[in-house]
Amino acid sequence: MKTPTVLSVTQLNTYVKSIIDGDMLLRSVYVVGEISNFTNHYRTGHYYLTLKDGDCAVKAVMFRSANVRLKFEPENGMKVIVRGRVSLFERDGQYQLYIEDMQPDGAGALSIAFEQLKQKLAAEGLFDAEHKKPIPRRSYRIGVVTSSTGAVLQDIRNVVSRRFPLADIILAPVQVQGDGAAVQIAQAIYDFNLLSAADVLIVGRGGGSAEDLWAFNEEIVARAVYASEIPVISAVGHETDFTICDFVADLRAPTPSAAAELAVPDIRDDIAFIDAALGQCEAIVLERLADESDRLSLARERITARSPAAIIDGKIQTVDLLLGRALASIDNKINNQQSRLNADISKLDALSPLKVLMRGYSIAKKNGKIVSKTSELKSKDKISLRLSDGEVDCEVL
């Protein structure tokens, strides 16, 4: 009878591991199951989890070198399809699945990754409206983060040159899909801000598949857009395409051409506005000139009316009027006095002694006094007789 071989635990586990590792069927297997007990080891970056179905479970590990390629973050309760190899962890004597690739069962990995990052950034407030910066109405430096060889750049140039030829386009050429694209896009946004090289940024590319657009769903791009002091217009793909960059940006444009239209004003509108403003200004100036002309005419009339010459002319007219009235009054009074004088003269003439004398009478005067009685005379008195044509001296006999 053969003596049984006594193995140590290590030998047993090593032997079993060698058997499992030697099975070609177990070197690459696909397994579907639900994730539980998921752990993301914060130091190593390795994923530890259990895959289970309704009846059984199996331990699994996905090393960091493999999980960095995932577009989504595994979660408990998520049903996945994994590809990997089966081996034994010798220390614990437990076989486990070493996962090399993982895909969600049902919804695509990109779709899940999109929703996961969207929820994460939304919870942090990166999509909140209060963080959105207004797009300048008139930008003279348009920063463009896109490929230098695609049609996007030419579309933007055409729109800007037509709408606002005063603006300059500053291109930061980047890779817009594939490995390294997200890093280049984020770095270009940081560089524009570092140099204050633009008034507004257009970040985008033309249409494509979800994989083609994925660089604009990367967290590094989202945080670069959020941190930008320069307003950002996201223009990724077509109108029906949405990316994380669209949600974080200050404004989302359905296409790159639409982004260019949003970034600059239409100079024709400015010209029309200026023409209208000039017309209004001209009307206001003409109206003001007419008002001021009326005021000037009124002021001239007032000044003319109050000038020394006008005052003197007025005084002269007043003096002439008063003088005329005075002369008329004087003439009237003179005429009245003349009439009265003539009447008095007539009366005096009628009563004049000369008239009596001319009728043959005479007037005797003694010592200049009229003698009216003979008793006033005596012999030898000297008297004078007043006759109608003169006087004669006489002596009383």
Side-chain angles (χ1 to χ4, degrees):
M1 184 177 180
K2 187 178 179 181
T3 305
T5 303
V6 178
L7 302 176
S8 65
V9 173
T10 301
Q11 289 173 329
L12 176 61
N13 286 352
T14 302
Y15 178 71
V16 173
K17 174 177 170 58
S18 67
I19 293 175
I20 295 175
D21 289 344
D23 189 334
M24 298 300 294
L25 294 178
L26 298 179
R27 289 187 178 182
S28 180
V29 295
Y30 288 86
V31 180
V32 61
E34 181 183 312
I35 296 175
S36 65
N37 301 320
F38 176 78
T39 302
N40 182 350
H41 197 278
Y42 69 94
R43 288 185 178 177
T44 64
H46 304 326
Y47 292 168
Y48 297 94
L49 62 143
T50 299
L51 281 179
K52 66 179 183 177
D53 55 22
D55 300 317
C56 299
V58 60
K59 296 289 186 181
V61 61
M62 191 174 192
F63 295 127
R64 185 176 183 277
S65 59
N67 66 41
V68 292
R69 296 191 298 269
L70 293 183
K71 299 297 185 182
F72 67 98
E73 179 80 11
E75 297 175 348
N76 287 325
M78 182 183 292
K79 193 173 183 180
V80 295
I81 299 174
V82 301
R83 178 180 59 82
R85 61 185 177 85
V86 179
S87 186
L88 185 81
F89 185 35
E90 295 180 56
R91 190 197 68 181
D92 295 341
Q94 182 176 12
Y95 92 92
Q96 59 186 15
L97 186 61
Y98 292 82
I99 300 173
E100 297 174 358
D101 189 25
M102 179 186 296
Q103 296 294 329
D105 183 18
L110 294 182
S111 177
I112 292 177
F114 180 88
E115 291 299 327
Q116 287 178 337
L117 183 58
K118 181 180 176 183
Q119 293 175 11
K120 174 184 176 182
L121 298 183
E124 294 183 26
L126 269 68
F127 304 160
D128 292 350
E130 55 265 27
H131 296 304
K132 307 293 185 185
K133 296 175 286 298
I135 305 301
R137 184 181 179 278
R138 186 173 283 99
S139 299
Y140 292 93
R141 299 176 302 164
I142 314 301
V144 179
V145 180
T146 191
S147 171
S148 60
T149 59
V152 170
L153 179 60
Q154 190 57 47
D155 290 343
I156 292 174
R157 282 175 174 164
N158 291 339
V159 172
V160 172
S161 63
R162 170 174 53 83
R163 287 176 60 87
F164 198 61
L166 300 177
D168 293 325
I169 295 177
I170 304 168
L171 173 66
V174 296
Q175 182 181 336
V176 292
Q177 69 183 63
D179 294 338
V183 174
Q184 291 186 24
I185 295 168
Q187 188 61 52
I189 296 172
Y190 287 128
D191 290 343
F192 266 114
N193 281 268
L194 181 63
L195 300 174
S196 298
D199 300 319
V200 65
L201 292 180
I202 297 177
V203 178
R205 56 155 292 157
S209 64
E211 290 79 5
D212 293 338
L213 305 181
W214 191 254
F216 296 90
N217 287 322
E218 296 282 0
E219 184 172 354
I220 187 174
V221 173
R223 296 198 180 277
V225 171
Y226 180 76
S228 176
E229 294 294 331
I230 302 172
V232 176
I233 301 176
S234 177
V236 182
H238 301 300
E239 187 170 359
T240 55
D241 296 321
F242 280 90
T243 64
I244 297 296
C245 183
D246 293 332
F247 295 111
V248 182
D250 300 297
L251 184 64
R252 185 243 178 191
T255 64
S257 295
E261 293 185 356
L262 294 170
V264 294
D266 192 336
I267 197 169
R268 293 171 296 184
D269 294 338
D270 287 347
I271 293 173
F273 174 79
I274 292 172
D275 288 341
L278 287 176
Q280 292 179 353
C281 290
E282 183 178 1
I284 292 172
V285 169
L286 291 176
E287 182 179 0
R288 183 66 180 274
L289 285 175
D291 292 342
E292 294 302 323
S293 178
D294 293 342
R295 291 181 60 189
L296 181 60
S297 297
L298 181 61
R300 275 182 184 159
E301 292 176 1
R302 291 177 178 175
I303 291 173
T304 301
R306 296 179 182 179
S307 66
I311 294 174
I312 292 173
D313 289 342
K315 296 299 183 183
I316 289 175
Q317 291 180 1
T318 302
V319 170
D320 288 343
L321 178 63
L322 295 176
L323 182 60
R325 291 178 180 176
L327 291 176
S329 178
I330 291 172
D331 288 342
N332 188 42
K333 287 185 178 181
I334 289 176
N335 291 333
N336 292 336
Q337 294 298 325
Q338 185 68 45
S339 297
R340 292 178 60 186
L341 178 62
N342 291 336
D344 291 342
I345 289 174
S346 297
K347 291 179 180 180
L348 289 174
D349 185 59
L351 298 174
S352 175
L354 294 177
K355 292 290 186 178
V356 177
L357 293 176
M358 290 180 65
R359 292 196 299 269
Y361 293 96
S362 62
I363 299 174
K365 293 183 180 181
K366 176 182 178 179
N367 296 326
K369 295 181 179 180
I370 296 175
V371 178
S372 59
K373 297 177 179 180
T374 58
S375 59
E376 294 177 359
L377 299 174
K378 61 180 186 237
S379 181
K380 302 296 182 179
D381 283 342
K382 302 291 184 182
I383 63 173
S384 63
L385 293 177
R386 173 66 180 175
L387 302 175
S388 63
D389 58 351
E391 289 185 358
V392 294
D393 295 328
C394 301
E395 183 178 349
V396 176
L397 298 180

